[in-house]
């Protein structure tokens, strides 16, 4: 299989149903590609779910057009990779020192969980927000 065969792409409105669509496509990709353990798939999916949920929950636009999200997740021989981009206002995000909140806190776990799971997580802005990330295979 070529590199393009090892990726799934999903686009849609920033609604919680999009999380399930992205995770379903990634699960199908893993089954098609093979050689992706359940643990690898589940850990990566958890990080993707947390990032997407944050984008959906916190993404805002200046107009009534709504926020759109594009997801691209890939299976590589040595790592699982992802890029999530949106059309929301650019967010100021500081990833250094992200920690789990107090156990009684009602929110704030998404980035902390993602940084614990992923080997690399970067946030950039370019007419929206772009999250690029990867997790080594065989953890």
């Amino acid at each position: 299989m070529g590199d393009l065969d090892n990726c799934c792409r999903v686009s849609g409105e920033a609604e919680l149903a999009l999380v399930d669509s992205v995770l379903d496509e990634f699960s199908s990709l893993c089954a098609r590609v093979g050689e992706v353990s359940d643990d690898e798939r589940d850990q990566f999916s958890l990080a993707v779910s947390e990032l997407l949920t944050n984008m959906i929950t916190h993404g805002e636009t200046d107009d009534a057009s709504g926020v759109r999200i594009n997801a691209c997740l890939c299976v590589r021989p040595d790592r699982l990779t992802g890029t999530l981009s949106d059309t929301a206002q650019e967010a100021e995000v500081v990833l250094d020192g992200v920690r789990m909140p107090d156990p009684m806190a009602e929110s704030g776990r998404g980035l902390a969980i993602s940084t614990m799971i992923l080997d690399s997580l970067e946030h950039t802005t370019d007419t929206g927000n772009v999250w690029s990330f990867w997790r080594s295979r065989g953890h």
Side-chain angles (χ1 to χ4, degrees), residues 1 10 14 17 19-20 31 34 37 62-63 67 79 96 119:
M1 280 188 176
V10 179
V19 177
D20 289 334
S37 73
D62 288 332
D63 56 37
V67 176
R79 63 181 63 176
D96 291 336
D119 293 310

Side-chain angles (χ1 to χ4, degrees), residues 3-58:
D3 277 352
L4 294 178
D5 296 331
N6 293 344
C7 297
C8 64
R9 290 171 181 77
V10 179
S11 298
E13 295 295 321
E15 299 173 353
L16 289 176
L18 183 65
V19 177
D20 289 334
S21 296
V22 171
L23 296 180
D24 288 347
E25 286 296 319
F26 182 64
S27 183
S28 295
L29 171 66
C30 289
R32 188 173 70 248
V33 170
E35 300 177 12
V36 178
S37 73
D38 290 346
D39 186 57
E40 286 176 325
R41 183 198 64 228
D42 293 347
Q43 290 290 314
F44 193 73
S45 293
L46 176 57
V48 169
S49 174
E50 292 294 339
L51 292 170
L52 280 170
T53 301
N54 275 352
M55 294 172 79
I56 292 165
T57 302
H58 301 294

Side-chain angles (χ1 to χ4, degrees), residues 9-10 23 31 34 39 48 70 85 96 105-106 117 120 133-134:
R9 290 171 181 77
V10 179
L23 296 180
D39 186 57
V48 169
N70 297 307
S85 61
D96 291 336
E106 293 184 20
I117 292 171
S120 175
F133 50 93
W134 58 269

